[in-house]
Amino acid sequence: MRSQRRGPGPDAVRRSALHRDPVALAAAAWTAFGMVLLLALAGHANSQVRVFWLFQPPLDVLLAYSSWRVFQIAGGAIRRYWRLQAIGASLFVVGDTVQCVLAFTRHGQWSTAGGDVQSTCFAAGLGLIIVAMLIHPLPGRTGREALAFWLDSATVMVGGVVVAWCFAAGSASQDSAGSLVGALAAGAVVLTSAFAAVKLILSGNAPMHRVAAVPMIVAAVVNAVGLFVAPPGATDHLPAHVYLVRLLPSLLIALGPRNQEMLARFDETAFGSRRRRPYSLLPYGSIVVVFVTMLMMMPQGIDTRLWGVVGGFGIIVALVVARQLAAFHDNTRLIDQLDTTLTELREHERRLRHQALHDELTGLANRAYFREETTTALTASRPGTVALLLVDLDGFKAVNDTHGHAAGDLLLAGVAEKLRQSVRSGDLVARLGGDEFAVLLRDCTVHDAEQTAKRILRALAEPVTVGETPLRANASIGIACAEERDDVRSLLHDADMAMYASKHQGKGTWKRYEAGMAPAAG
């Protein structure tokens, strides 16, 4: 037979589609071409700015179109996020297109900072995207889980503020308050974007798959770097590498929605919801970043930047300590819950075992449990120290026929209680079935077994009151004392022989098994 070759799985198909996406490849080629032109035009600031703005609108169009396509596929809160991102991206298209026209119609456009229209559209579009990330709902969590989430987010944000403060204070001239305020404002926008992204990462409920989120997060990082790569005080005639760093985020942020669109074509549920981890390493990463920043600032002397780093480090330590205290409290609560659960499970297990090994009507051991305990006693005890009493009620069928099965059940329960009271604490009473009972006597002699049989018969001589009717339960008892080679089967057989002999003798009596005893004739 010809073997059938299994085709590639859905994951392989999705990966292949992403790697061969002609639109993404075209966008990458477009950006690479723009970077080549920017390098070739080094020293021609006006031409570089024109090329920079010329290559922005097509990437913005890809961002807006892909975001809109994902919006049409998604549903619920995810659909709302992508709608806001599509509107924000459309504002980018408008602003960058207007700025491109201005760059080609005016001279002296040396800065990558846009004019009033571009700046307004960019701020409004970025604000919409940030709002979309901030209002995206968190999955259901307790109050303490929400507290831990916000502590983690605050720790990451403080780390970002410290780094932004160092760059802003270092980039802005000391005599220019406007430069410092501008740098801090730009840093605040980047940090707010970073916080919103961190919120989605920590929540476990991101509205996009990781293959879409990664390029967008990298774009935010590169965009943040782009704010500080220009030489201090430079506003025009920027080096070529500044243009390259500031152009790259436009490609990366467009690839994210494009990747999400491609995934959603194969699977409409291919978004970012996932099981939330009970911990996050981001706060500890923030500690490392701030500590390294402090080490870098210390050789430059004590100034406002160093004090800012030290203050930020102290705040981060306090937040992490608070996070750990909350975690310790949660762990203690979980341990208490686990102990309670284990106790309940053990109690449930005990009840199940009791039900499996005991008779439901009388509460006595059942046949299986009695055989198990008898086997253990015969194995662990010396020969001649284990005895078995087989108790069979006389005339029980007449009680059922005359008074009904309910009365018969009450009589059996009364007999069971009398048997319990007639034996020692270490002995075991069982109901083998119907009106047949058995008693396992441990560490006893023949005399002890005979005395126990007599006590049982005396107890049964007292009637059991069923309703208002006293009923007497006579019984015949067979006694078998274990010998060296006896097992459960042989011991029960011997006791059964003795019990029938006692019935033949006159009922209401006991008889001990003797070697050679034959079944009594009916």
Side-chain angles (χ1 to χ4, degrees):
M1 294 179 63
R2 180 180 299 176
S3 60
Q4 295 182 350
R5 298 182 61 184
R6 183 174 299 177
D11 291 338
V13 173
R14 286 196 291 264
R15 286 194 298 269
S16 177
L18 289 175
H19 293 159
R20 299 179 181 179
D21 178 21
V23 174
L25 294 175
W30 173 259
T31 305
F33 179 52
M35 290 182 172
V36 171
L37 289 179
L38 289 170
L39 290 173
L41 294 171
H44 302 278
N46 204 61
S47 297
Q48 282 183 309
V49 170
R50 287 174 174 174
V51 169
F52 177 83
W53 288 113
L54 176 64
F55 278 76
Q56 295 284 351
L59 298 176
D60 295 336
V61 170
L62 175 60
L63 171 64
Y65 174 77
S66 297
S67 299
W68 185 258
R69 289 287 298 140
V70 178
F71 156 72
Q72 293 178 317
I73 297 173
I78 297 177
R79 179 181 177 88
R80 180 183 62 189
Y81 168 84
W82 285 102
R83 179 175 62 238
L84 292 177
Q85 176 157 306
I87 296 173
S90 300
L91 291 174
F92 294 165
V93 174
V94 174
D96 289 349
T97 300
V98 170
Q99 191 62 34
C100 179
V101 173
L102 292 177
F104 278 89
T105 57
R106 295 181 182 180
H107 294 283
Q109 301 294 309
W110 293 332
S111 175
T112 56
D116 293 339
V117 175
Q118 194 277 338
S119 298
T120 301
C121 290
F122 177 79
L126 181 60
L128 277 177
I129 295 175
I130 292 175
V131 168
M133 291 190 287
L134 291 176
I135 67 175
H136 192 69
L138 299 176
R141 59 179 76 209
T142 64
R144 290 195 175 276
E145 289 175 335
L147 174 63
F149 164 77
W150 287 112
L151 287 173
D152 288 345
S153 299
T155 303
V156 176
M157 279 300 297
V158 172
V161 168
V162 169
V163 175
W165 166 257
C166 291
F167 277 110
S171 300
S173 59
Q174 296 298 324
D175 58 349
S176 175
S179 298
L180 177 59
V181 172
L184 288 176
V189 172
V190 173
L191 286 173
T192 305
S193 304
F195 170 74
V198 168
K199 170 182 177 290
L200 294 182
I201 294 172
L202 292 179
S203 70
N205 193 39
M208 65 190 73
H209 194 275
R210 64 177 180 273
V211 298
V214 168
M216 299 181 73
I217 294 173
V218 175
V221 174
V222 176
N223 196 35
V225 173
L227 294 174
F228 308 110
V229 293
T235 58
D236 52 21
H237 296 87
L238 298 175
H241 71 271
V242 176
Y243 293 101
L244 301 184
V245 173
R246 294 182 180 181
L247 176 61
L248 182 59
S250 298
L251 170 65
L252 294 174
I253 198 172
L255 290 179
R258 178 61 184 179
N259 289 345
Q260 187 65 56
E261 178 193 355
M262 295 297 293
L263 287 176
R265 289 182 181 180
F266 295 96
D267 183 4
E268 294 184 4
T269 63
F271 293 93
S273 297
R274 57 183 172 81
R275 186 176 62 87
R276 189 173 62 250
R277 292 192 304 177
Y279 64 91
S280 173
L281 298 179
L282 286 176
Y284 302 100
S286 183
I287 291 178
V288 173
V289 169
V290 174
F291 184 74
V292 172
T293 304
M294 184 169 61
L295 293 179
M296 294 173 61
M297 293 295 105
M298 290 178 65
Q300 303 180 24
I302 299 176
D303 56 10
T304 55
R305 290 188 299 171
L306 180 59
W307 283 117
V309 175
V310 172
F313 190 75
I315 294 174
I316 286 178
V317 170
L319 290 172
V320 171
V321 170
R323 177 68 173 88
Q324 291 302 318
L325 290 176
F328 290 153
H329 186 277
D330 288 342
N331 291 340
T332 302
R333 178 175 54 83
L334 290 175
I335 291 174
D336 292 340
Q337 291 178 349
L338 180 60
D339 289 341
T340 301
T341 302
L342 290 177
T343 300
E344 293 174 352
L345 288 175
R346 284 193 290 266
E347 178 62 24
H348 184 62
E349 180 184 7
R350 187 195 64 78
R351 288 196 300 268
L352 290 178
R353 178 173 174 78
H354 185 274
Q355 292 174 4
L357 300 179
H358 291 78
D359 176 60
E360 182 179 359
L361 174 64
T362 62
L364 299 177
N366 60 18
R367 178 182 290 271
Y369 187 34
F370 183 79
R371 293 178 67 91
E372 177 184 325
E373 288 296 304
T374 303
T375 300
T376 301
L378 291 173
T379 303
S381 303
R382 300 188 310 274
T385 60
V386 175
L388 190 151
L389 275 61
L390 202 59
V391 182
D392 188 80
L393 301 185
D394 298 328
F396 179 73
K397 184 177 182 301
V399 174
N400 277 338
D401 295 341
T402 303
H403 301 282
H405 288 283
D409 290 344
L410 292 175
L411 178 59
L412 290 175
V415 170
E417 183 59 30
K418 289 179 179 293
L419 292 176
R420 288 193 193 93
Q421 296 175 357
S422 300
V423 301
R424 303 167 301 177
S425 59
D427 299 330
L428 178 66
V429 182
R431 182 189 178 198
L432 302 185
D435 60 348
E436 188 176 45
F437 299 84
V439 179
L440 172 64
L441 303 177
R442 303 181 179 92
D443 298 324
C444 75
T445 62
V446 173
H447 178 72
D448 293 334
E450 293 174 350
Q451 292 300 315
T452 301
K454 293 177 182 179
R455 287 198 302 273
I456 291 174
L457 291 177
R458 286 197 299 269
L460 293 179
E462 296 291 331
V464 176
T465 302
V466 177
E468 297 181 355
T469 304
L471 298 177
R472 180 173 285 104
N474 294 320
S476 298
I477 302 177
I479 304 174
C481 296
E483 301 295 337
E484 185 173 0
R485 296 183 178 180
D486 275 327
D487 57 16
V488 176
R489 183 175 181 179
S490 62
L491 199 59
L492 282 171
H493 176 268
D494 292 348
D496 189 64
M497 297 282 288
M499 184 267 295
Y500 277 105
S502 68
K503 280 184 177 289
H504 181 72
Q505 185 174 320
K507 300 182 180 181
T509 60
W510 61 270
K511 190 75 175 176
R512 181 168 60 84
Y513 176 78
E514 297 176 355
M517 179 179 287

